[in-house]
Amino acid sequence: MINQPTQITVTCGRCGHKRSTDDGFSDRVPLRERHVVVRTLLAVNEGWQCDEDGDLCPACAAPDTTANR
Ligand SMILES: [Zn+2]
């Protein structure tokens, strides 16, 4: 079976929010690279903050505008 799932899940390191995406990668793109690409896409398109420390969803990455802590 060569039918690997191409869906990549990025998890927020703070609230645990999961974002799954399937961008139809070529089978030749290694899983590791797919994850990098997905994180970049989420950062650019959805406001995720993805760096070496981990991934933050838009709500957690956003500036503290709620003044709720
Ligand atoms: Zn979050």
Side-chain angles (χ1 to χ4, degrees), residues 12-17 56-61:
C12 175
R14 187 169 294 176
C15 72
H17 179 77
L56 292 178
C57 72
C60 295

mmCIF file of all heavy atoms in Angstrom, residues 12-17 56-61, ligand 1:
data_model
loop_
_atom_site.group_PDB
_atom_site.id
_atom_site.type_symbol
_atom_site.label_atom_id
_atom_site.label_comp_id
_atom_site.label_asym_id
_atom_site.label_seq_id
_atom_site.Cartn_x
_atom_site.Cartn_y
_atom_site.Cartn_z
ATOM 1 N N CYS A 12 -1.386 23.424 18.351
ATOM 2 C CA CYS A 12 -0.987 24.583 19.131
ATOM 3 C C CYS A 12 -0.327 24.115 20.423
ATOM 4 O O CYS A 12 -0.875 23.285 21.138
ATOM 5 C CB CYS A 12 -2.204 25.448 19.440
ATOM 6 S SG CYS A 12 -1.812 26.829 20.542
ATOM 7 N N GLY A 13 0.839 24.672 20.712
ATOM 8 C CA GLY A 13 1.568 24.254 21.899
ATOM 9 C C GLY A 13 0.982 24.822 23.176
ATOM 10 O O GLY A 13 1.373 24.441 24.270
ATOM 11 N N ARG A 14 0.048 25.745 23.057
ATOM 12 C CA ARG A 14 -0.493 26.376 24.256
ATOM 13 C C ARG A 14 -1.874 25.848 24.611
ATOM 14 O O ARG A 14 -2.124 25.465 25.741
ATOM 15 C CB ARG A 14 -0.542 27.890 24.056
ATOM 16 C CG ARG A 14 -0.934 28.623 25.321
ATOM 17 C CD ARG A 14 -0.727 30.117 25.171
ATOM 18 N NE ARG A 14 0.697 30.449 25.018
ATOM 19 C CZ ARG A 14 1.127 31.680 24.790
ATOM 20 N NH1 ARG A 14 0.295 32.674 24.671
ATOM 21 N NH2 ARG A 14 2.412 31.902 24.654
ATOM 22 N N CYS A 15 -2.770 25.821 23.646
ATOM 23 C CA CYS A 15 -4.137 25.403 23.968
ATOM 24 C C CYS A 15 -4.468 24.037 23.378
ATOM 25 O O CYS A 15 -5.526 23.496 23.648
ATOM 26 C CB CYS A 15 -5.143 26.442 23.486
ATOM 27 S SG CYS A 15 -5.342 26.493 21.697
ATOM 28 N N GLY A 16 -3.568 23.508 22.563
ATOM 29 C CA GLY A 16 -3.804 22.186 22.025
ATOM 30 C C GLY A 16 -4.709 22.162 20.815
ATOM 31 O O GLY A 16 -5.092 21.093 20.339
ATOM 32 N N HIS A 17 -5.047 23.330 20.310
ATOM 33 C CA HIS A 17 -5.878 23.404 19.121
ATOM 34 C C HIS A 17 -5.180 22.724 17.955
ATOM 35 O O HIS A 17 -4.004 22.951 17.711
ATOM 36 C CB HIS A 17 -6.153 24.876 18.784
ATOM 37 C CG HIS A 17 -6.992 25.050 17.552
ATOM 38 N ND1 HIS A 17 -8.354 24.853 17.559
ATOM 39 C CD2 HIS A 17 -6.665 25.399 16.285
ATOM 40 C CE1 HIS A 17 -8.824 25.084 16.337
ATOM 41 N NE2 HIS A 17 -7.834 25.418 15.546
ATOM 42 N N LEU A 56 1.834 28.019 17.605
ATOM 43 C CA LEU A 56 0.745 28.654 18.328
ATOM 44 C C LEU A 56 -0.375 28.985 17.361
ATOM 45 O O LEU A 56 -0.125 29.531 16.284
ATOM 46 C CB LEU A 56 1.221 29.944 19.002
ATOM 47 C CG LEU A 56 2.223 29.789 20.152
ATOM 48 C CD1 LEU A 56 2.632 31.160 20.664
ATOM 49 C CD2 LEU A 56 1.630 28.963 21.278
ATOM 50 N N CYS A 57 -1.607 28.671 17.763
ATOM 51 C CA CYS A 57 -2.743 28.982 16.915
ATOM 52 C C CYS A 57 -2.933 30.509 16.894
ATOM 53 O O CYS A 57 -2.376 31.223 17.729
ATOM 54 C CB CYS A 57 -3.996 28.275 17.427
ATOM 55 S SG CYS A 57 -4.658 28.963 18.951
ATOM 56 N N PRO A 58 -3.730 31.006 15.956
ATOM 57 C CA PRO A 58 -3.912 32.461 15.852
ATOM 58 C C PRO A 58 -4.374 33.096 17.157
ATOM 59 O O PRO A 58 -3.919 34.184 17.514
ATOM 60 C CB PRO A 58 -4.987 32.586 14.766
ATOM 61 C CG PRO A 58 -4.807 31.371 13.929
ATOM 62 C CD PRO A 58 -4.405 30.276 14.891
ATOM 63 N N ALA A 59 -5.238 32.408 17.883
ATOM 64 C CA ALA A 59 -5.748 32.968 19.136
ATOM 65 C C ALA A 59 -4.639 33.134 20.164
ATOM 66 O O ALA A 59 -4.592 34.113 20.899
ATOM 67 C CB ALA A 59 -6.858 32.075 19.682
ATOM 68 N N CYS A 60 -3.744 32.163 20.221
ATOM 69 C CA CYS A 60 -2.667 32.205 21.204
ATOM 70 C C CYS A 60 -1.502 33.068 20.717
ATOM 71 O O CYS A 60 -0.759 33.612 21.523
ATOM 72 C CB CYS A 60 -2.169 30.794 21.494
ATOM 73 S SG CYS A 60 -3.396 29.749 22.292
ATOM 74 N N ALA A 61 -1.355 33.160 19.409
ATOM 75 C CA ALA A 61 -0.245 33.924 18.851
ATOM 76 C C ALA A 61 -0.566 35.410 18.811
ATOM 77 O O ALA A 61 0.323 36.243 18.741
ATOM 78 C CB ALA A 61 0.079 33.417 17.445
HETATM 79 ZN ZN ZN B 1 -3.801 28.023 20.839
#
